[in-house]
Amino acid sequence: ATGKYSPGGQSKCMDCLAGEISGEGQSSCSTCAAGQFSSYPGSSTCSQCTAGQFGVAPAIVCTPCVEGKYSDDGASTCTECPGGTYSSSASSVCSVCASGQFSAGGESACSDCASGQYSLGSAISCTCCMAGTFSAQGSSSCESCPQGKFAENSCSDTCTSCPNGQFSTPGHVEC
C-alpha cells in the first residue's frame, strides 16, 4: 500500500515515518525533498511548503521565515530581504521602505532618516542635506533655509538666524 513499506524478507507492511513517503510495493521509504513536508506517518505524497516558509529534509512541518527574510513556494531556505526593503515573519515578499526611511537589508522594519538627512523610497541609506538646507527626522526631502536664516554646514536639522544688521536670501549658507 502507498505510504507503507516492507523491509526485505518480511510479509508485514510498516508505515513510513512522518517526513517520509513510499509508493506501492516499495521496500523502503523516501525522504521528502527540501522545500516539502509530510506531517503524518504512512503518507504517500509530500506537500510543498507555502511561500513565507521553508522545509529542510526530512520535514514534518515547514518553518516560517524569520523577520527580514522571505521565501517562495517550495523553498528549502529563506532569502534575506535586500537593502531598501523589510519583512515581518512568514513573509513571501519584502516591502519597500517609504521615502524618509532606509534599510540596510535583512530588517524587520525600516528606520527613519536622522534629522539633517533625507531619502527617497527603497533607500539603503540616507543622504545629508546640502548646506543652505535642512530637514527633520524621517524627511523625504530637504527644505531651503528661509529668508533671514542660513545653514553653513551640510546635514543641518535647523537653520540659524542671521545676526542683527545682516540678512540672507532663502537657501544661503551665510548672511
Side-chain angles (χ1 to χ4, degrees):
T2 58
K4 298 182 181 294
Y5 72 103
S6 175
Q10 292 195 11
S11 60
K12 184 178 178 189
C13 291
M14 301 173 70
D15 282 343
C16 292
L17 300 174
E20 298 179 336
I21 59 166
S22 120
E24 192 167 336
Q26 299 295 311
S27 61
S28 64
C29 298
S30 301
T31 300
C32 291
Q36 298 181 340
F37 72 101
S38 136
S39 297
Y40 304 103
S43 294
S44 59
T45 60
C46 297
S47 300
Q48 190 175 58
C49 294
T50 58
Q53 300 180 338
F54 70 100
V56 178
I60 297 170
V61 295
C62 295
T63 306
C65 295
V66 297
E67 294 175 334
K69 294 188 175 190
Y70 72 98
S71 74
D72 295 326
D73 288 332
S76 59
T77 61
C78 296
T79 304
E80 186 173 287
C81 290
T85 66
Y86 69 98
S87 74
S88 58
S89 62
S91 290
S92 59
V93 296
C94 298
S95 300
V96 174
C97 293
S99 294
Q101 297 184 322
F102 73 99
S103 163
E107 304 288 336
S108 61
C110 298
S111 300
D112 282 346
C113 292
S115 298
Q117 299 180 354
Y118 73 98
S119 76
L120 303 177
S122 70
I124 59 171
S125 63
C126 298
T127 304
C128 277
C129 294
M130 297 186 317
T133 65
F134 72 102
S135 74
Q137 179 178 341
S139 293
S140 60
S141 63
C142 299
E143 296 180 47
S144 293
C145 291
Q147 185 170 332
K149 294 189 175 195
F150 70 99
E152 187 175 16
N153 300 312
S154 60
C155 296
S156 294
D157 59 354
T158 60
C159 297
T160 305
S161 293
C162 291
N164 286 337
Q166 296 183 354
F167 72 95
S168 72
T169 55
H172 269 72
V173 297
E174 59 185 25
C175 294

